[in-house]
Amino acid sequence: MSSALKRFARAWLPPAAQRWARRLTQPAAYTGDYRTWQEAKAAARGYDDPAIFDKVVASARAVRDGHAAFERDSVTFAETAIHGPLVAGLLRAASKNEGRLHVIDFGGGFGSAWWQHRAWIDQGAEVTWEVIEQPHFVAAGREEFEVGPLRFRQSLDECTANPRSALILLSSVLPYLEKPHDLMAEIARRGFRHVLIDRTGFTRNHADRLTVQRVPKTIYDATYPCWFFSEERLLQPLAANYRVLVKWPSFDTVEIEAEFRGILLERVDQ
């Protein structure tokens, strides 16, 4: 964690949240500058290990059953912590939709963002939360984790939300998609009211970079392709009809010429 982010954490986060940030920022290694997704994938290994899925399921069950306060990236936490920019963005979306919050959580696992923040979100809005995930996540989610507003879908087409009033949440997912720019173009085409990007890496030289990330072994042993983006290029499909409301630093750490941050965008062509 950089000195600036450490100061930010001390100033704005309670002690429990600071401990959460430190645990989630164990250094991951990012190497390479690959030309294609196929090249990066060939240099990676282990991400499809069933043991990783089993660990994520076990962590989500611990939260569901009250044995952990929340989980992130398969790591469980005993103390509650709030990610303030995320909650603020969600409540902003609800305020623009007569108190109704409809979230499309793309790549949201078993709904970890909702589980972590449900006490704050459910008090301030009428919530529907649809998670888009891989088929095996959806199957397990429908069997074990569909509680309250939480539902699981395999594609945008399955979601019940009217995009013109919904928020699409992209938290630590765009870097791990083969074609993230295609998804951004699809989001622009569907016209979601709000787009919330979080925990996403951006380069400082304004060019996309495709790396291989090694996950800290304290989480699980795996490597996989990971993008760092040109912010201008990533947001280009939204430029005509969206405005950036706010950006914030993320607590993910990186040792290459890049930084993690979040961005909230709102459609302006009402």
Side-chain angles (χ1 to χ4, degrees), residues 4-269:
L5 289 186
K6 287 179 181 177
R7 290 193 298 272
F8 180 90
R10 286 194 296 267
W12 296 103
L13 295 181
Q18 292 182 38
R19 289 191 289 273
W20 166 59
R22 287 195 295 270
R23 286 189 67 187
L24 288 183
T25 53
Q26 302 169 78
Y30 301 89
T31 58
D33 190 357
Y34 294 89
R35 293 178 301 170
T36 68
W37 183 264
Q38 288 70 29
E39 285 185 4
K41 189 174 181 180
R45 62 171 182 80
Y47 188 59
D48 294 326
D49 186 344
I52 296 174
F53 175 73
D54 292 342
K55 184 178 181 183
V56 175
V57 172
S59 299
R61 286 174 181 155
V63 176
R64 179 199 64 193
D65 297 340
H67 303 308
F70 70 99
E71 64 85 20
R72 176 68 69 190
D73 299 334
S74 81
V75 179
T76 58
F77 298 83
E79 298 177 84
T80 299
I82 184 172
H83 184 26
L86 174 61
V87 173
L90 296 174
L91 295 182
R92 161 83 181 199
S95 73
K96 293 293 185 177
N97 193 35
E98 300 179 339
R100 296 186 297 272
L101 176 64
H102 200 146
V103 176
I104 307 300
D105 187 356
F106 199 100
F110 293 117
S112 58
W114 177 77
W115 287 101
Q116 180 181 350
H117 299 102
R118 64 192 186 279
W120 291 273
I121 297 168
D122 288 347
Q123 293 297 317
E126 176 187 332
V127 182
T128 303
W129 197 289
E130 296 183 279
V131 176
I132 297 178
E133 261 296 353
Q134 301 170 77
H136 58 303
F137 273 84
V138 172
R142 288 173 175 172
E143 182 176 351
E144 297 195 48
F145 300 106
E146 284 199 340
V147 299
L150 198 57
R151 298 294 181 267
F152 294 87
R153 316 296 187 199
Q154 293 191 43
S155 69
L156 286 171
D157 289 335
E158 289 187 9
C159 293
T160 63
N162 176 359
R164 306 291 287 185
S165 61
L167 176 146
I168 186 162
L169 174 60
L170 305 164
S171 180
S172 193
V173 63
L174 290 170
Y176 307 107
L177 300 179
E178 180 177 359
K179 298 179 179 180
H181 300 94
D182 289 357
L183 175 60
M184 295 300 289
E186 179 65 13
I187 288 169
R189 187 187 70 79
R190 291 177 183 256
F192 287 93
R193 179 70 177 271
H194 292 91
V195 180
L196 199 162
I197 300 168
D198 198 19
R199 299 184 64 208
T200 298
F202 293 93
T203 60
R204 295 192 177 103
N205 65 359
H206 308 293
D208 287 349
R209 177 176 175 181
L210 180 57
T211 69
V212 167
Q213 176 184 354
R214 174 175 292 280
V215 180
K217 290 185 178 181
T218 51
I219 299 177
Y220 48 71
D221 188 12
T223 59
Y224 38 87
C226 179
W227 288 102
F228 288 86
F229 297 106
S230 156
E231 181 180 315
E232 181 179 9
R233 185 185 176 205
L234 185 69
L235 300 185
Q236 192 280 326
L238 307 178
N241 297 314
Y242 288 80
R243 60 172 175 157
V244 174
L245 293 180
V246 65
K247 301 178 186 179
W248 58 89
S250 170
F251 294 101
D252 301 76
T253 58
V254 63
E255 295 180 355
I256 63 175
E257 285 298 308
E259 60 185 5
F260 284 87
R261 57 180 176 266
I263 306 172
L264 177 64
L265 301 103
E266 184 174 74
R267 202 179 68 245
V268 296
D269 60 330

